Amino acid sequence: MWAYNTLSDDGLNFTISSANVESLEDLNKRYADALLPLTITFGVFTLFGFLGNLLILIVFSLSREYRRNNFKVFVLTLAVIDLITCMTLMPAEMVKQRNFFEFENALQCKFKCFFNVFGASSSCLALLVISVDRFRKVVQPFKKQLTPKLAVKVLIGVAIVFPICLAIPGTVMCGINTTTMVNKYGTNTTIHLCETEERFEASVWRNIYKWIFIILLGGISMAYIILYTFVMRAAAKQIKAISLQRNNSSFDCIQTSGIFDPNMVIHEPTNDLSIRKENNSMHDIQNGVNGKHSVTRSSGQSHKRHTPMLQRHGFPTKTMIWFILTIVFIVTYLTHIILSLRVGRIVTMEPGEFASFSFFFRIYFVNHMINPLVYAIFVTRFRDSCRNIGPIIMEKLSQLLC
């Protein structure tokens, strides 16, 4: 607080103006203190996400239990994306929270903006590739499937290269925006925010870029919902069919109305040796005229290749894993998009309101640290591998040193 004084003609001092102004340092500290619990929470997210995703990379890369298949490729891809985010975006957000209204480093700001777009778009597109793979395996098991080698190529292009290109325009337009904010005394304090530069705020290119990003996230989210709706419906029908077939006392073909896929392969466990040998061959059950079925035989290897996944493995646990991760992604990023409409009101928020807003605005950080927890719950082999990873690492180190 200070006052401006002047000297009158008769030598008497009197005040001509008086103002209470909160310094930028004090204002920033007041909000940083309110954000401190959130900053600590994000620090826990960062540590858990870093260690968890690093453990995923080690377990799935070194453990002998995991052969080269699509599940391994997808798990490792998401782990790399999440690890990059935990090492870059989350720490950058914590730094920003300590200097939210006093952010003056343009390079750090652009760094954060780049990984903000990259992390969101890469996770989004990787999950899209995974959902398409689940759709093909469960709903269209007899059509050509995505091989691990092709999956790697697709993910590099779709989930790495394209997000980098998508993040570049946002990085260019991002920078330090200087404006004013009403402080606790009711006067204005000049602040420096890391957001879209003032020269780009009214730009038509910024609006185009913003809507491309919103449409991309919204469209892909709808694709998730549609694909997994078909997947879950097919899973439910096939599980019901398997249950009905297992309850049948013989290996007779069960005639149903719409429960079985015309190309579905059916097996009934039995103690009879001759029938068990018969089960090693493939039985393509096809509806004929008047409900008749024709049975063809092929090698056991061909049977395994063409048998629907649910018939060979039961309920698709992997599908459930990807479905849960996708739902978490949709909910958290939908929350982020809705709250982004209120970003302009940040300068009018009190510290408590601002802290609550910031938590839900960045709730999508959960996506980058939840994967290890989901794998630990649903994949028994992953839990066992985590317990045995110590000896495996020591064995690999001894091989390298010898």
Side-chain angles (χ1 to χ4, degrees), residues 234-259:
K237 286 183 178 181
Q238 292 185 27
I239 290 171
K240 182 179 179 180
I242 293 170
S243 177
L244 291 174
Q245 191 251 339
R246 284 176 178 172
N247 291 332
N248 193 27
S249 58
S250 67
F251 190 67
D252 294 334
C253 298
I254 302 176
Q255 300 184 29
T256 62
S257 56
I259 293 180

Side-chain angles (χ1 to χ4, degrees), residues 197-247:
E197 291 186 16
E198 186 176 358
R199 60 193 175 111
F200 291 113
E201 284 185 346
S203 171
V204 63
W205 296 110
R206 177 181 178 269
N207 291 326
I208 292 175
Y209 178 75
K210 180 179 68 174
W211 280 106
I212 286 176
F213 201 75
I214 292 175
I215 292 173
L216 181 67
L217 285 176
I220 292 177
S221 296
M222 287 299 300
Y224 292 151
I225 295 172
I226 294 171
L227 289 172
Y228 277 111
T229 297
F230 282 108
V231 168
M232 292 304 177
R233 286 180 60 188
K237 286 183 178 181
Q238 292 185 27
I239 290 171
K240 182 179 179 180
I242 293 170
S243 177
L244 291 174
Q245 191 251 339
R246 284 176 178 172
N247 291 332

Side-chain angles (χ1 to χ4, degrees), residues 134-141 231 234-235 238 309-310 316 319:
R134 291 292 91 192
F135 176 82
R136 299 285 289 185
K137 277 185 168 57
V138 178
V139 182
Q140 300 175 336
V231 168
Q238 292 185 27
M309 181 186 61
L310 288 174
T319 299

Side-chain angles (χ1 to χ4, degrees), residues 97-242:
Q97 289 178 358
R98 304 309 296 166
N99 303 277
F100 198 95
F101 298 101
E102 200 177 4
F103 208 109
E104 298 179 348
N105 192 314
L107 185 61
Q108 290 182 3
C109 180
K110 290 184 179 293
F111 174 86
K112 181 183 181 301
C113 291
F114 175 84
F115 283 102
N116 199 12
V117 177
F118 173 80
S121 55
S122 60
S123 297
C124 177
L125 292 167
L127 289 172
L128 177 63
V129 175
I130 293 171
S131 64
V132 172
D133 176 75
R134 291 292 91 192
F135 176 82
R136 299 285 289 185
K137 277 185 168 57
V138 178
V139 182
Q140 300 175 336
F142 297 102
K143 293 189 176 181
K144 186 177 180 180
Q145 301 296 317
L146 188 67
T147 64
K149 185 176 181 180
L150 180 59
V152 171
K153 294 180 180 179
V154 171
L155 287 168
I156 290 175
V158 173
I160 303 296
V161 177
F162 181 67
I164 290 175
C165 297
L166 190 63
I168 291 175
T171 305
V172 172
M173 291 184 285
C174 190
I176 306 302
N177 193 349
T178 300
T179 183
T180 59
M181 178 178 179
V182 177
N183 56 50
K184 63 181 180 180
Y185 299 116
T187 56
N188 290 330
T189 298
T190 300
I191 59 176
H192 308 286
L193 301 173
C194 174
E195 56 182 27
T196 304
E197 291 186 16
E198 186 176 358
R199 60 193 175 111
F200 291 113
E201 284 185 346
S203 171
V204 63
W205 296 110
R206 177 181 178 269
N207 291 326
I208 292 175
Y209 178 75
K210 180 179 68 174
W211 280 106
I212 286 176
F213 201 75
I214 292 175
I215 292 173
L216 181 67
L217 285 176
I220 292 177
S221 296
M222 287 299 300
Y224 292 151
I225 295 172
I226 294 171
L227 289 172
Y228 277 111
T229 297
F230 282 108
V231 168
M232 292 304 177
R233 286 180 60 188
K237 286 183 178 181
Q238 292 185 27
I239 290 171
K240 182 179 179 180
I242 293 170

Side-chain angles (χ1 to χ4, degrees), residues 64-80:
R64 298 186 183 92
E65 294 93 347
Y66 302 99
R67 64 185 186 277
R68 184 177 175 82
N69 56 23
N70 286 2
F71 183 69
K72 180 178 179 178
V73 171
F74 295 148
V75 167
L76 291 177
T77 300
L78 287 179
V80 170

Side-chain angles (χ1 to χ4, degrees), residues 1-3 18-21 185:
M1 177 178 64
W2 67 85
S18 179
N20 294 308
V21 178
Y185 299 116

